[in-house]
mmCIF file with all atom_site columns, all heavy atoms in Angstrom:
data_model
loop_
_atom_site.group_PDB
_atom_site.id
_atom_site.type_symbol
_atom_site.label_atom_id
_atom_site.label_alt_id
_atom_site.label_comp_id
_atom_site.label_asym_id
_atom_site.label_entity_id
_atom_site.label_seq_id
_atom_site.pdbx_PDB_ins_code
_atom_site.Cartn_x
_atom_site.Cartn_y
_atom_site.Cartn_z
_atom_site.occupancy
_atom_site.B_iso_or_equiv
_atom_site.pdbx_formal_charge
_atom_site.auth_seq_id
_atom_site.auth_comp_id
_atom_site.auth_asym_id
_atom_site.auth_atom_id
_atom_site.pdbx_PDB_model_num
ATOM 1   N N   . VAL A 1 1  ? -17.821 -26.298 94.346  1.00 97.00 ? 1  VAL A N   1
ATOM 2   C CA  . VAL A 1 1  ? -16.980 -26.522 93.168  1.00 97.00 ? 1  VAL A CA  1
ATOM 3   C C   . VAL A 1 1  ? -17.913 -26.790 91.999  1.00 97.00 ? 1  VAL A C   1
ATOM 4   O O   . VAL A 1 1  ? -19.037 -27.267 92.189  1.00 97.00 ? 1  VAL A O   1
ATOM 5   C CB  . VAL A 1 1  ? -15.964 -27.671 93.355  1.00 97.00 ? 1  VAL A CB  1
ATOM 6   C CG1 . VAL A 1 1  ? -14.935 -27.313 94.400  1.00 97.00 ? 1  VAL A CG1 1
ATOM 7   C CG2 . VAL A 1 1  ? -16.656 -28.968 93.706  1.00 97.00 ? 1  VAL A CG2 1
ATOM 8   N N   . THR A 1 2  ? -17.461 -26.461 90.800  1.00 97.00 ? 2  THR A N   1
ATOM 9   C CA  . THR A 1 2  ? -18.297 -26.604 89.617  1.00 97.00 ? 2  THR A CA  1
ATOM 10  C C   . THR A 1 2  ? -17.447 -26.966 88.406  1.00 97.00 ? 2  THR A C   1
ATOM 11  O O   . THR A 1 2  ? -16.265 -26.626 88.350  1.00 97.00 ? 2  THR A O   1
ATOM 12  C CB  . THR A 1 2  ? -19.088 -25.291 89.352  1.00 97.00 ? 2  THR A CB  1
ATOM 13  O OG1 . THR A 1 2  ? -19.950 -25.484 88.247  1.00 97.00 ? 2  THR A OG1 1
ATOM 14  C CG2 . THR A 1 2  ? -18.163 -24.120 89.092  1.00 97.00 ? 2  THR A CG2 1
ATOM 15  N N   . ALA A 1 3  ? -18.056 -27.660 87.468  1.00 97.00 ? 3  ALA A N   1
ATOM 16  C CA  . ALA A 1 3  ? -17.385 -27.991 86.204  1.00 97.00 ? 3  ALA A CA  1
ATOM 17  C C   . ALA A 1 3  ? -18.459 -28.350 85.185  1.00 97.00 ? 3  ALA A C   1
ATOM 18  O O   . ALA A 1 3  ? -19.564 -28.748 85.551  1.00 97.00 ? 3  ALA A O   1
ATOM 19  C CB  . ALA A 1 3  ? -16.423 -29.156 86.382  1.00 97.00 ? 3  ALA A CB  1
ATOM 20  N N   . GLY A 1 4  ? -18.114 -28.182 83.908  1.00 97.00 ? 4  GLY A N   1
ATOM 21  C CA  . GLY A 1 4  ? -19.078 -28.556 82.882  1.00 97.00 ? 4  GLY A CA  1
ATOM 22  C C   . GLY A 1 4  ? -18.673 -28.146 81.485  1.00 97.00 ? 4  GLY A C   1
ATOM 23  O O   . GLY A 1 4  ? -17.522 -27.803 81.215  1.00 97.00 ? 4  GLY A O   1
ATOM 24  N N   . TYR A 1 5  ? -19.660 -28.151 80.624  1.00 97.00 ? 5  TYR A N   1
ATOM 25  C CA  . TYR A 1 5  ? -19.512 -27.861 79.196  1.00 97.00 ? 5  TYR A CA  1
ATOM 26  C C   . TYR A 1 5  ? -19.698 -26.366 78.948  1.00 97.00 ? 5  TYR A C   1
ATOM 27  O O   . TYR A 1 5  ? -20.578 -25.743 79.544  1.00 97.00 ? 5  TYR A O   1
ATOM 28  C CB  . TYR A 1 5  ? -20.564 -28.653 78.419  1.00 97.00 ? 5  TYR A CB  1
ATOM 29  C CG  . TYR A 1 5  ? -20.693 -28.254 76.973  1.00 97.00 ? 5  TYR A CG  1
ATOM 30  C CD1 . TYR A 1 5  ? -19.754 -28.666 76.033  1.00 97.00 ? 5  TYR A CD1 1
ATOM 31  C CD2 . TYR A 1 5  ? -21.747 -27.454 76.547  1.00 97.00 ? 5  TYR A CD2 1
ATOM 32  C CE1 . TYR A 1 5  ? -19.866 -28.307 74.703  1.00 97.00 ? 5  TYR A CE1 1
ATOM 33  C CE2 . TYR A 1 5  ? -21.875 -27.087 75.222  1.00 97.00 ? 5  TYR A CE2 1
ATOM 34  C CZ  . TYR A 1 5  ? -20.931 -27.517 74.304  1.00 97.00 ? 5  TYR A CZ  1
ATOM 35  O OH  . TYR A 1 5  ? -21.051 -27.139 72.995  1.00 97.00 ? 5  TYR A OH  1
ATOM 36  N N   . SER A 1 6  ? -18.898 -25.794 78.080  1.00 95.00 ? 6  SER A N   1
ATOM 37  C CA  . SER A 1 6  ? -19.043 -24.399 77.666  1.00 95.00 ? 6  SER A CA  1
ATOM 38  C C   . SER A 1 6  ? -19.227 -24.317 76.166  1.00 95.00 ? 6  SER A C   1
ATOM 39  O O   . SER A 1 6  ? -18.566 -25.030 75.408  1.00 95.00 ? 6  SER A O   1
ATOM 40  C CB  . SER A 1 6  ? -17.804 -23.577 78.047  1.00 95.00 ? 6  SER A CB  1
ATOM 41  O OG  . SER A 1 6  ? -17.717 -23.407 79.436  1.00 95.00 ? 6  SER A OG  1
ATOM 42  N N   . LEU A 1 7  ? -20.101 -23.438 75.748  1.00 94.00 ? 7  LEU A N   1
ATOM 43  C CA  . LEU A 1 7  ? -20.317 -23.124 74.340  1.00 94.00 ? 7  LEU A CA  1
ATOM 44  C C   . LEU A 1 7  ? -19.931 -21.665 74.154  1.00 94.00 ? 7  LEU A C   1
ATOM 45  O O   . LEU A 1 7  ? -20.431 -20.799 74.868  1.00 94.00 ? 7  LEU A O   1
ATOM 46  C CB  . LEU A 1 7  ? -21.787 -23.332 73.972  1.00 94.00 ? 7  LEU A CB  1
ATOM 47  C CG  . LEU A 1 7  ? -22.161 -22.972 72.537  1.00 94.00 ? 7  LEU A CG  1
ATOM 48  C CD1 . LEU A 1 7  ? -21.660 -24.069 71.598  1.00 94.00 ? 7  LEU A CD1 1
ATOM 49  C CD2 . LEU A 1 7  ? -23.656 -22.815 72.415  1.00 94.00 ? 7  LEU A CD2 1
ATOM 50  N N   . MET A 1 8  ? -19.021 -21.397 73.245  1.00 92.00 ? 8  MET A N   1
ATOM 51  C CA  . MET A 1 8  ? -18.578 -20.027 72.976  1.00 92.00 ? 8  MET A CA  1
ATOM 52  C C   . MET A 1 8  ? -19.032 -19.652 71.582  1.00 92.00 ? 8  MET A C   1
ATOM 53  O O   . MET A 1 8  ? -18.993 -20.479 70.669  1.00 92.00 ? 8  MET A O   1
ATOM 54  C CB  . MET A 1 8  ? -17.065 -19.927 73.111  1.00 92.00 ? 8  MET A CB  1
ATOM 55  C CG  . MET A 1 8  ? -16.601 -20.258 74.491  1.00 92.00 ? 8  MET A CG  1
ATOM 56  S SD  . MET A 1 8  ? -14.821 -20.255 74.629  1.00 92.00 ? 8  MET A SD  1
ATOM 57  C CE  . MET A 1 8  ? -14.656 -20.756 76.317  1.00 92.00 ? 8  MET A CE  1
ATOM 58  N N   . PHE A 1 9  ? -19.463 -18.402 71.430  1.00 90.00 ? 9  PHE A N   1
ATOM 59  C CA  . PHE A 1 9  ? -20.000 -18.001 70.126  1.00 90.00 ? 9  PHE A CA  1
ATOM 60  C C   . PHE A 1 9  ? -19.746 -16.519 69.877  1.00 90.00 ? 9  PHE A C   1
ATOM 61  O O   . PHE A 1 9  ? -19.635 -15.719 70.791  1.00 90.00 ? 9  PHE A O   1
ATOM 62  C CB  . PHE A 1 9  ? -21.497 -18.316 70.034  1.00 90.00 ? 9  PHE A CB  1
ATOM 63  C CG  . PHE A 1 9  ? -22.324 -17.782 71.156  1.00 90.00 ? 9  PHE A CG  1
ATOM 64  C CD1 . PHE A 1 9  ? -22.907 -16.531 71.086  1.00 90.00 ? 9  PHE A CD1 1
ATOM 65  C CD2 . PHE A 1 9  ? -22.522 -18.536 72.300  1.00 90.00 ? 9  PHE A CD2 1
ATOM 66  C CE1 . PHE A 1 9  ? -23.672 -16.043 72.116  1.00 90.00 ? 9  PHE A CE1 1
ATOM 67  C CE2 . PHE A 1 9  ? -23.289 -18.048 73.350  1.00 90.00 ? 9  PHE A CE2 1
ATOM 68  C CZ  . PHE A 1 9  ? -23.872 -16.794 73.257  1.00 90.00 ? 9  PHE A CZ  1
ATOM 69  N N   . ARG A 1 10 ? -19.612 -16.191 68.639  1.00 86.00 ? 10 ARG A N   1
ATOM 70  C CA  . ARG A 1 10 ? -19.568 -14.827 68.099  1.00 86.00 ? 10 ARG A CA  1
ATOM 71  C C   . ARG A 1 10 ? -19.989 -14.961 66.653  1.00 86.00 ? 10 ARG A C   1
ATOM 72  O O   . ARG A 1 10 ? -21.158 -15.160 66.383  1.00 86.00 ? 10 ARG A O   1
ATOM 73  C CB  . ARG A 1 10 ? -18.178 -14.209 68.259  1.00 86.00 ? 10 ARG A CB  1
ATOM 74  C CG  . ARG A 1 10 ? -18.191 -12.707 67.983  1.00 86.00 ? 10 ARG A CG  1
ATOM 75  C CD  . ARG A 1 10 ? -16.847 -12.046 68.149  1.00 86.00 ? 10 ARG A CD  1
ATOM 76  N NE  . ARG A 1 10 ? -16.012 -12.373 67.008  1.00 86.00 ? 10 ARG A NE  1
ATOM 77  C CZ  . ARG A 1 10 ? -14.705 -12.509 67.052  1.00 86.00 ? 10 ARG A CZ  1
ATOM 78  N NH1 . ARG A 1 10 ? -14.055 -12.339 68.164  1.00 86.00 ? 10 ARG A NH1 1
ATOM 79  N NH2 . ARG A 1 10 ? -14.032 -12.794 65.984  1.00 86.00 ? 10 ARG A NH2 1
ATOM 80  N N   . ASP A 1 11 ? -19.061 -14.908 65.724  1.00 84.00 ? 11 ASP A N   1
ATOM 81  C CA  . ASP A 1 11 ? -19.371 -15.243 64.337  1.00 84.00 ? 11 ASP A CA  1
ATOM 82  C C   . ASP A 1 11 ? -18.918 -16.678 64.061  1.00 84.00 ? 11 ASP A C   1
ATOM 83  O O   . ASP A 1 11 ? -18.695 -17.079 62.935  1.00 84.00 ? 11 ASP A O   1
ATOM 84  C CB  . ASP A 1 11 ? -18.725 -14.256 63.368  1.00 84.00 ? 11 ASP A CB  1
ATOM 85  C CG  . ASP A 1 11 ? -17.236 -14.084 63.609  1.00 84.00 ? 11 ASP A CG  1
ATOM 86  O OD1 . ASP A 1 11 ? -16.711 -14.658 64.597  1.00 84.00 ? 11 ASP A OD1 1
ATOM 87  O OD2 . ASP A 1 11 ? -16.587 -13.382 62.827  1.00 84.00 ? 11 ASP A OD2 1
ATOM 88  N N   . PHE A 1 12 ? -18.773 -17.455 65.125  1.00 83.00 ? 12 PHE A N   1
ATOM 89  C CA  . PHE A 1 12 ? -18.396 -18.856 65.106  1.00 83.00 ? 12 PHE A CA  1
ATOM 90  C C   . PHE A 1 12 ? -19.049 -19.509 66.320  1.00 83.00 ? 12 PHE A C   1
ATOM 91  O O   . PHE A 1 12 ? -19.588 -18.846 67.184  1.00 83.00 ? 12 PHE A O   1
ATOM 92  C CB  . PHE A 1 12 ? -16.872 -19.020 65.180  1.00 83.00 ? 12 PHE A CB  1
ATOM 93  C CG  . PHE A 1 12 ? -16.283 -18.448 66.439  1.00 83.00 ? 12 PHE A CG  1
ATOM 94  C CD1 . PHE A 1 12 ? -16.191 -19.222 67.596  1.00 83.00 ? 12 PHE A CD1 1
ATOM 95  C CD2 . PHE A 1 12 ? -15.836 -17.138 66.489  1.00 83.00 ? 12 PHE A CD2 1
ATOM 96  C CE1 . PHE A 1 12 ? -15.670 -18.687 68.765  1.00 83.00 ? 12 PHE A CE1 1
ATOM 97  C CE2 . PHE A 1 12 ? -15.300 -16.602 67.647  1.00 83.00 ? 12 PHE A CE2 1
ATOM 98  C CZ  . PHE A 1 12 ? -15.222 -17.378 68.790  1.00 83.00 ? 12 PHE A CZ  1
ATOM 99  N N   . VAL A 1 13 ? -18.988 -20.817 66.383  1.00 86.00 ? 13 VAL A N   1
ATOM 100 C CA  . VAL A 1 13 ? -19.426 -21.567 67.556  1.00 86.00 ? 13 VAL A CA  1
ATOM 101 C C   . VAL A 1 13 ? -18.284 -22.507 67.918  1.00 86.00 ? 13 VAL A C   1
ATOM 102 O O   . VAL A 1 13 ? -17.744 -23.194 67.056  1.00 86.00 ? 13 VAL A O   1
ATOM 103 C CB  . VAL A 1 13 ? -20.713 -22.374 67.275  1.00 86.00 ? 13 VAL A CB  1
ATOM 104 C CG1 . VAL A 1 13 ? -21.087 -23.229 68.467  1.00 86.00 ? 13 VAL A CG1 1
ATOM 105 C CG2 . VAL A 1 13 ? -21.853 -21.451 66.906  1.00 86.00 ? 13 VAL A CG2 1
ATOM 106 N N   . ALA A 1 14 ? -17.899 -22.518 69.204  1.00 88.00 ? 14 ALA A N   1
ATOM 107 C CA  . ALA A 1 14 ? -16.797 -23.376 69.659  1.00 88.00 ? 14 ALA A CA  1
ATOM 108 C C   . ALA A 1 14 ? -17.223 -24.135 70.911  1.00 88.00 ? 14 ALA A C   1
ATOM 109 O O   . ALA A 1 14 ? -17.906 -23.593 71.772  1.00 88.00 ? 14 ALA A O   1
ATOM 110 C CB  . ALA A 1 14 ? -15.564 -22.525 69.964  1.00 88.00 ? 14 ALA A CB  1
ATOM 111 N N   . ASN A 1 15 ? -16.807 -25.380 70.983  1.00 91.00 ? 15 ASN A N   1
ATOM 112 C CA  . ASN A 1 15 ? -17.058 -26.209 72.163  1.00 91.00 ? 15 ASN A CA  1
ATOM 113 C C   . ASN A 1 15 ? -15.913 -26.037 73.141  1.00 91.00 ? 15 ASN A C   1
ATOM 114 O O   . ASN A 1 15 ? -14.776 -25.800 72.746  1.00 91.00 ? 15 ASN A O   1
ATOM 115 C CB  . ASN A 1 15 ? -17.163 -27.686 71.765  1.00 91.00 ? 15 ASN A CB  1
ATOM 116 C CG  . ASN A 1 15 ? -18.354 -27.940 70.895  1.00 91.00 ? 15 ASN A CG  1
ATOM 117 O OD1 . ASN A 1 15 ? -19.470 -27.562 71.250  1.00 91.00 ? 15 ASN A OD1 1
ATOM 118 N ND2 . ASN A 1 15 ? -18.139 -28.561 69.750  1.00 91.00 ? 15 ASN A ND2 1
ATOM 119 N N   . GLY A 1 16 ? -16.225 -26.192 74.431  1.00 93.00 ? 16 GLY A N   1
ATOM 120 C CA  . GLY A 1 16 ? -15.193 -26.068 75.438  1.00 93.00 ? 16 GLY A CA  1
ATOM 121 C C   . GLY A 1 16 ? -15.609 -26.672 76.755  1.00 93.00 ? 16 GLY A C   1
ATOM 122 O O   . GLY A 1 16 ? -16.560 -27.440 76.841  1.00 93.00 ? 16 GLY A O   1
ATOM 123 N N   . PHE A 1 17 ? -14.889 -26.316 77.785  1.00 95.00 ? 17 PHE A N   1
ATOM 124 C CA  . PHE A 1 17 ? -15.170 -26.802 79.133  1.00 95.00 ? 17 PHE A CA  1
ATOM 125 C C   . PHE A 1 17 ? -14.916 -25.667 80.111  1.00 95.00 ? 17 PHE A C   1
ATOM 126 O O   . PHE A 1 17 ? -14.329 -24.639 79.771  1.00 95.00 ? 17 PHE A O   1
ATOM 127 C CB  . PHE A 1 17 ? -14.271 -27.999 79.474  1.00 95.00 ? 17 PHE A CB  1
ATOM 128 C CG  . PHE A 1 17 ? -12.827 -27.623 79.653  1.00 95.00 ? 17 PHE A CG  1
ATOM 129 C CD1 . PHE A 1 17 ? -12.322 -27.288 80.896  1.00 95.00 ? 17 PHE A CD1 1
ATOM 130 C CD2 . PHE A 1 17 ? -11.972 -27.571 78.558  1.00 95.00 ? 17 PHE A CD2 1
ATOM 131 C CE1 . PHE A 1 17 ? -10.996 -26.917 81.057  1.00 95.00 ? 17 PHE A CE1 1
ATOM 132 C CE2 . PHE A 1 17 ? -10.637 -27.206 78.704  1.00 95.00 ? 17 PHE A CE2 1
ATOM 133 C CZ  . PHE A 1 17 ? -10.155 -26.881 79.963  1.00 95.00 ? 17 PHE A CZ  1
ATOM 134 N N   . ASN A 1 18 ? -15.355 -25.858 81.343  1.00 96.00 ? 18 ASN A N   1
ATOM 135 C CA  . ASN A 1 18 ? -15.057 -24.911 82.402  1.00 96.00 ? 18 ASN A CA  1
ATOM 136 C C   . ASN A 1 18 ? -14.970 -25.656 83.722  1.00 96.00 ? 18 ASN A C   1
ATOM 137 O O   . ASN A 1 18 ? -15.563 -26.725 83.881  1.00 96.00 ? 18 ASN A O   1
ATOM 138 C CB  . ASN A 1 18 ? -16.088 -23.781 82.458  1.00 96.00 ? 18 ASN A CB  1
ATOM 139 C CG  . ASN A 1 18 ? -17.426 -24.248 82.951  1.00 96.00 ? 18 ASN A CG  1
ATOM 140 O OD1 . ASN A 1 18 ? -17.636 -24.360 84.150  1.00 96.00 ? 18 ASN A OD1 1
ATOM 141 N ND2 . ASN A 1 18 ? -18.337 -24.558 82.029  1.00 96.00 ? 18 ASN A ND2 1
ATOM 142 N N   . ALA A 1 19 ? -14.214 -25.094 84.654  1.00 97.00 ? 19 ALA A N   1
ATOM 143 C CA  . ALA A 1 19 ? -14.080 -25.663 85.993  1.00 97.00 ? 19 ALA A CA  1
ATOM 144 C C   . ALA A 1 19 ? -13.723 -24.535 86.944  1.00 97.00 ? 19 ALA A C   1
ATOM 145 O O   . ALA A 1 19 ? -13.085 -23.557 86.553  1.00 97.00 ? 19 ALA A O   1
ATOM 146 C CB  . ALA A 1 19 ? -12.997 -26.739 86.015  1.00 97.00 ? 19 ALA A CB  1
ATOM 147 N N   . GLY A 1 20 ? -14.153 -24.670 88.178  1.00 97.00 ? 20 GLY A N   1
ATOM 148 C CA  . GLY A 1 20 ? -13.835 -23.646 89.158  1.00 97.00 ? 20 GLY A CA  1
ATOM 149 C C   . GLY A 1 20 ? -14.439 -23.948 90.508  1.00 97.00 ? 20 GLY A C   1
ATOM 150 O O   . GLY A 1 20 ? -14.949 -25.035 90.759  1.00 97.00 ? 20 GLY A O   1
ATOM 151 N N   . GLY A 1 21 ? -14.380 -22.953 91.339  1.00 97.00 ? 21 GLY A N   1
ATOM 152 C CA  . GLY A 1 21 ? -14.939 -23.078 92.675  1.00 97.00 ? 21 GLY A CA  1
ATOM 153 C C   . GLY A 1 21 ? -15.162 -21.703 93.246  1.00 97.00 ? 21 GLY A C   1
ATOM 154 O O   . GLY A 1 21 ? -14.623 -20.705 92.759  1.00 97.00 ? 21 GLY A O   1
ATOM 155 N N   . GLY A 1 22 ? -15.985 -21.667 94.275  1.00 97.00 ? 22 GLY A N   1
ATOM 156 C CA  . GLY A 1 22 ? -16.280 -20.375 94.856  1.00 97.00 ? 22 GLY A CA  1
ATOM 157 C C   . GLY A 1 22 ? -16.951 -20.478 96.203  1.00 97.00 ? 22 GLY A C   1
ATOM 158 O O   . GLY A 1 22 ? -17.011 -21.543 96.820  1.00 97.00 ? 22 GLY A O   1
ATOM 159 N N   . LEU A 1 23 ? -17.486 -19.333 96.614  1.00 95.00 ? 23 LEU A N   1
ATOM 160 C CA  . LEU A 1 23 ? -18.112 -19.208 97.918  1.00 95.00 ? 23 LEU A CA  1
ATOM 161 C C   . LEU A 1 23 ? -19.289 -18.259 97.809  1.00 95.00 ? 23 LEU A C   1
ATOM 162 O O   . LEU A 1 23 ? -19.159 -17.167 97.249  1.00 95.00 ? 23 LEU A O   1
ATOM 163 C CB  . LEU A 1 23 ? -17.089 -18.648 98.921  1.00 95.00 ? 23 LEU A CB  1
ATOM 164 C CG  . LEU A 1 23 ? -17.600 -18.328 100.311 1.00 95.00 ? 23 LEU A CG  1
ATOM 165 C CD1 . LEU A 1 23 ? -17.864 -19.617 101.077 1.00 95.00 ? 23 LEU A CD1 1
ATOM 166 C CD2 . LEU A 1 23 ? -16.587 -17.485 101.052 1.00 95.00 ? 23 LEU A CD2 1
ATOM 167 N N   . ASN A 1 24 ? -20.426 -18.693 98.323  1.00 95.00 ? 24 ASN A N   1
ATOM 168 C CA  . ASN A 1 24 ? -21.561 -17.797 98.520  1.00 95.00 ? 24 ASN A CA  1
ATOM 169 C C   . ASN A 1 24 ? -21.570 -17.414 99.993  1.00 95.00 ? 24 ASN A C   1
ATOM 170 O O   . ASN A 1 24 ? -21.518 -18.295 100.857 1.00 95.00 ? 24 ASN A O   1
ATOM 171 C CB  . ASN A 1 24 ? -22.893 -18.503 98.190  1.00 95.00 ? 24 ASN A CB  1
ATOM 172 C CG  . ASN A 1 24 ? -22.967 -18.959 96.765  1.00 95.00 ? 24 ASN A CG  1
ATOM 173 O OD1 . ASN A 1 24 ? -22.627 -18.223 95.863  1.00 95.00 ? 24 ASN A OD1 1
ATOM 174 N ND2 . ASN A 1 24 ? -23.414 -20.185 96.558  1.00 95.00 ? 24 ASN A ND2 1
#
């Protein structure tokens, strides 16, 4: 499982978050 901070950018910068889970 994972979670953390996200930074989104294009001609702007936006703060965000992310969360999820997976399998290797």
Side-chain angles (χ1 to χ4, degrees):
V1 293
T2 184
Y5 169 77
S6 290
L7 177 76
M8 298 176 183
F9 52 91
R10 192 179 75 212
D11 52 355
F12 61 88
V13 175
N15 295 308
F17 70 91
N18 70 82
L23 175 73
N24 299 314

